[in-house]
Amino acid sequence: MRLGVLDVGSNTVHLLVVDAGPGGRPIPHQSHKVTMRLMRYLVDGAISDEGQEALIGAIRECVEVAESVGLEQLLVVATSAVREAENGEAVIARIEAETGVELDILSGEDEARLTFLAVRRWFGWAAGRILLLDIGGGSLEIAVGADEEPQVALSVPLGAGRSTVSFLTDDPPTAAQQRALRTYAKAVLDDVVGTVRGAGRPDHVVGSSKTIRSLARLAGSVVPGLGGEDRVVLRRKDLDDWVPRIARMDADSRHALPGITPDRTFQIVAGGIVLSEAMRAFGVRELDVSPWALREGRLLRHLERL
């Protein structure tokens, strides 16, 4: 069957279309993405009228694409930016009324669990106990466990977009702004380190999300994997070598770097700082980068329930 998942996130509205069936690997058919950077439309914690219009337009565009490829079902999920907005309930009601789609509003813990499921399926049981780090636009999801359902799943307000808007207000950001973000990230992570470590020492550490994939293309290494699939590995020392360099560049200049797409140029520095502090907090020297994340996890969960 042909299924689609529409992810209304903090940075993009992203449609993924796959051909899949129970027990089979979802085969990508089409992807369509509209860059939003919803954080820039927040006014006193509420999504502005301009932001709501942009969001509705992006969803309509993706729904039109979905309808053109003969979907049997479209799953629509919304994450932190819509969920946490002061006027979130009103915005959700307006989106549903004007687009005809029904939003599945995920909690941060739900995001972590679904992404963990996708990562587990990608790396398999041989990966043992997995520690997952997933940096979105609004939040950082952390999960750890040895099964398909993580033992610990949590979300903290360290998304790349949120961190950029809150701390890195200059372009390029000042050294003082970067230090302030590192200090804040360290404090937030210190509050959850004990909970995560209480789930046991991981055998495998995995990073997912476009932010981490972008950083890995810039600072990571490709090594042979199983079944012809290359592994992409990101080491903390290489990340810490690159982050200060891209922080000295303005956003327009970063686009010339490998892996830094136009929708990530403004927030890649914050994403790098957050990832560096998360790896340091959990004692991680290197991580594998997963090509699967939330959207694939949502599709896999749906297939399980058929």
Side-chain angles (χ1 to χ4, degrees), residues 124-301:
W125 295 111
R129 187 180 303 278
I130 289 175
L131 169 62
L132 165 70
L133 303 173
D134 180 280
I135 301 176
S139 56
L140 162 66
E141 273 66 56
I142 305 165
V144 61
D147 299 314
E148 289 197 338
E149 181 68 21
Q151 186 175 340
V152 170
L154 50 86
S155 178
V156 293
L158 287 174
R162 184 197 300 268
S163 298
T164 301
V165 170
S166 299
F167 291 93
L168 308 187
T169 52
D170 289 346
D171 181 28
T174 66
Q177 290 169 354
Q178 295 173 61
R179 286 195 300 271
L181 174 55
R182 284 193 181 275
T183 299
Y184 175 73
K186 183 178 185 301
V188 170
L189 291 163
D190 282 348
D191 285 342
V192 300
V193 163
T195 300
V196 173
R197 287 183 176 169
R201 184 178 181 84
D203 301 301
H204 209 78
V205 182
V206 177
S208 64
S209 76
K210 181 61 183 295
T211 293
I212 292 179
R213 291 198 301 272
S214 296
L215 289 166
R217 282 201 60 194
L218 181 66
S221 304
V222 176
V223 298
L226 295 175
E229 296 278 1
D230 286 334
R231 287 175 58 208
V232 179
V233 176
L234 180 57
R235 297 178 176 87
R236 194 174 77 207
K237 66 180 182 62
D238 296 327
L239 177 66
D240 287 344
D241 178 57
W242 267 102
V243 169
R245 287 195 266 171
I246 60 176
R248 289 192 292 269
M249 305 169 67
D250 61 31
D252 289 339
S253 300
R254 292 177 202 137
H255 178 39
L257 296 172
I260 311 301
T261 53
D263 59 317
R264 302 288 155 176
T265 55
F266 284 95
Q267 62 186 49
I268 197 66
V269 175
I273 290 172
V274 168
L275 181 59
S276 173
E277 290 303 316
M279 294 176 77
R280 186 170 289 107
F282 300 118
V284 176
R285 292 184 179 180
E286 69 175 37
L287 54 76
D288 270 272
V289 180
S290 173
W292 280 8
L294 175 64
R295 287 179 290 277
E296 289 80 7
R298 182 65 185 88
L299 285 166
L300 291 168
R301 183 68 79 209

Side-chain angles (χ1 to χ4, degrees), residues 6 13-17 30-34 58 61-62 65:
L6 179 57
V13 175
H14 192 163
L15 170 70
L16 173 66
V17 178
Q30 187 167 347
S31 177
H32 185 79
K33 180 170 62 175
V34 180
E61 180 179 327
C62 288
V65 172

Side-chain angles (χ1 to χ4, degrees), residues 7-29:
D7 177 7
V8 182
S10 303
N11 196 57
T12 61
V13 175
H14 192 163
L15 170 70
L16 173 66
V17 178
V18 303
D19 292 321
R25 174 176 173 171
I27 305 300
H29 174 78

